[in-house]
Amino acid sequence: MKIGVAGAGTMGSGIAQVAAYHGNDVYLQDLEPEALKGGLSRIRKSLERVVSKLQDGDPQQRLEQTLGRLRSGVELDGLADAAIVIEAVFENFEVKQSLFRELDQRCSPETILASNTSSISITRLAAATGRPERVIGMHFMNPVPVMKLVEIIRGLATSDACFEATRQLTLELGKAPVEVNDSPGFVSNRVLLPMLNEAMFAVMEGVAEPEAVDQVMKLGMNHPMGPLQLADFIGLDVCLDILNVLYEGFKDPKYRPCPLLQKLVDSGRLGRKTGHGFYPYGD
Ligand code: 3HC
């Protein structure tokens, strides 16, 4: 199957990697050549970790085979004949909406248009196209090569055939599909982000230092990462965007973003990707 991925950031490159690793021909598209370069280098590094654990077969051969199935470029037309295009561009409604319009015009009428959005309405994105029944949410978790879950989000008009094809593909990628309906933050981020936000309020109010909050959740609740470590990992700007989608979507003050989060984002401390968030990071 040919799978298109639009956006070569952390999520897009992770999705392209997993799709190629499981035997699909992949076209990874990004408008920025530098982003493509970064995405391809992340894929190689991650694949080296994945194949190093293979019990049988030649790891180097598996790596080369996977990379051999991967094409990349700045041209959207490379996505036109894909069975499915998974969009993983910047988390902004207008950006995604205009990409969905373009994809709708360029892709075969059969192509499923999926979005890896973390919280934007699938129904609204579908409305930008002439094929709302073939638009769906496919929400992967970071790091994509490791995390099992893919939330499959039905928009208002998503057809059963589109849902079933997407569910089947998710299984073929070695992931676990979970069906949810379209609602702000879906299930994952509606449940996760209020916890991260609350941890930030605890720090802001002087209840405990970030290290202590994280230790409580790691040692007491067996979370692999503490909430502030995880927020840095996700990106504080992304956390803020998702909280704002929840806050505006539900009009409920319980989703009000923590002012400390806003302050860190305003200062440019966005987490691991900028070398500093709640914690400083080396290179
Ligand atoms: N590529 C390939 N393999 C990777 C990898 C990557 N990018 N990152 C980690 N791994 C593998 C390692 O090779 C290792 O494999 P092994 O156990 O077979 O040796 C395994 O994953 C564990 O990695 P590490 O030993 O390096 O580090 P940790 O044990 O600390 O695990 C982690 C790292 C998997 C990221 C773990 O800390 C974790 O699960 N954290 C929580 C992640 C999470 O909650 N993600 C969801 C975020 S929310 C989201 O994505 C939604 C969005 O909309 C915001």
Side-chain angles (χ1 to χ4, degrees):
M1 180 189 286
K2 177 168 173 183
I3 298 181
V5 180
T10 308
M11 299 304 285
S13 59
I15 295 166
Q17 174 188 328
V18 169
Y21 186 76
H22 285 87
N24 300 286
D25 292 324
V26 176
Y27 179 75
L28 175 62
Q29 183 275 339
D30 199 296
L31 291 175
E32 298 290 335
E34 276 306 304
L36 282 174
K37 218 169 121 193
L40 293 172
S41 130
R42 261 193 309 277
I43 290 174
R44 181 175 273 279
K45 278 196 201 122
S46 173
L47 273 175
E48 280 166 1
R49 290 174 85 169
V50 172
V51 299
S52 70
K53 287 173 252 166
L54 284 178
Q55 305 289 355
D56 51 350
D58 176 2
Q60 194 55 31
Q61 195 183 15
R62 188 74 193 265
L63 185 140
E64 296 303 337
Q65 274 172 351
T66 303
L67 292 177
R69 286 192 282 265
L70 196 56
R71 302 272 172 280
S72 64
V74 293
E75 299 298 332
L76 277 175
D77 284 336
L79 301 167
D81 60 345
I84 181 167
V85 175
I86 305 172
E87 165 279 310
V89 301
F90 185 57
E91 194 66 6
N92 169 282
F93 177 70
E94 282 73 27
V95 173
K96 288 186 191 280
Q97 184 187 42
S98 87
L99 178 59
F100 268 72
R101 275 202 195 108
E102 288 265 355
L103 291 174
D104 188 38
Q105 280 162 17
R106 289 169 196 249
C107 292
S108 143
E110 300 305 313
T111 304
I112 291 178
L113 302 181
S115 175
N116 178 58
T117 177
S118 48
S119 56
I120 290 171
S121 164
I122 300 303
T123 305
R124 275 183 86 195
L125 289 176
T129 74
R131 63 179 88 191
E133 72 290 349
R134 299 183 76 71
V135 175
I136 194 159
M138 248 185 133
H139 184 208
F140 290 80
M141 302 291 127
N142 187 19
V144 180
V146 179
M147 307 302 280
K148 280 277 169 212
L149 173 70
V150 179
E151 270 185 308
I152 311 282
I153 303 116
R154 279 183 187 265
L156 189 67
T158 307
S159 68
D160 288 344
C162 171
F163 175 81
E164 192 42 42
T166 308
R167 195 187 73 85
Q168 193 52 44
L169 170 65
T170 305
L171 291 170
E172 285 164 18
L173 298 183
K175 302 290 182 198
V178 176
E179 177 183 357
V180 307
N181 286 319
D182 197 12
S183 176
F186 315 128
V187 172
S188 54
N189 284 327
R190 180 175 180 168
V191 175
L192 176 66
L193 264 296
M195 186 193 69
L196 305 191
N197 203 36
E198 202 56 40
M200 296 170 197
F201 272 109
V203 171
M204 190 183 79
E205 291 167 11
V207 179
E209 293 296 320
E211 291 82 354
V213 172
D214 280 345
Q215 267 193 325
V216 166
M217 300 305 287
K218 280 199 285 189
L219 303 180
M221 284 76 182
N222 246 359
H223 289 196
M225 285 177 165
L228 302 163
Q229 228 186 340
L230 182 56
D232 274 357
F233 180 66
I234 292 170
L236 299 186
D237 52 339
V238 177
C239 291
L240 182 60
D241 284 346
I242 299 172
L243 280 162
N244 277 323
V245 168
L246 291 168
Y247 185 55
E248 283 153 24
F250 291 113
K251 308 273 185 288
D252 186 332
K254 78 177 173 185
Y255 299 110
R256 177 175 72 101
C258 175
L260 175 58
L261 172 63
Q262 181 73 61
K263 198 185 276 183
L264 289 176
V265 171
D266 290 345
S267 76
R269 275 168 58 175
L270 306 182
R272 276 199 194 182
K273 62 187 166 191
T274 59
H276 206 175
F278 282 92
Y279 299 101
Y281 298 89
D283 292 339

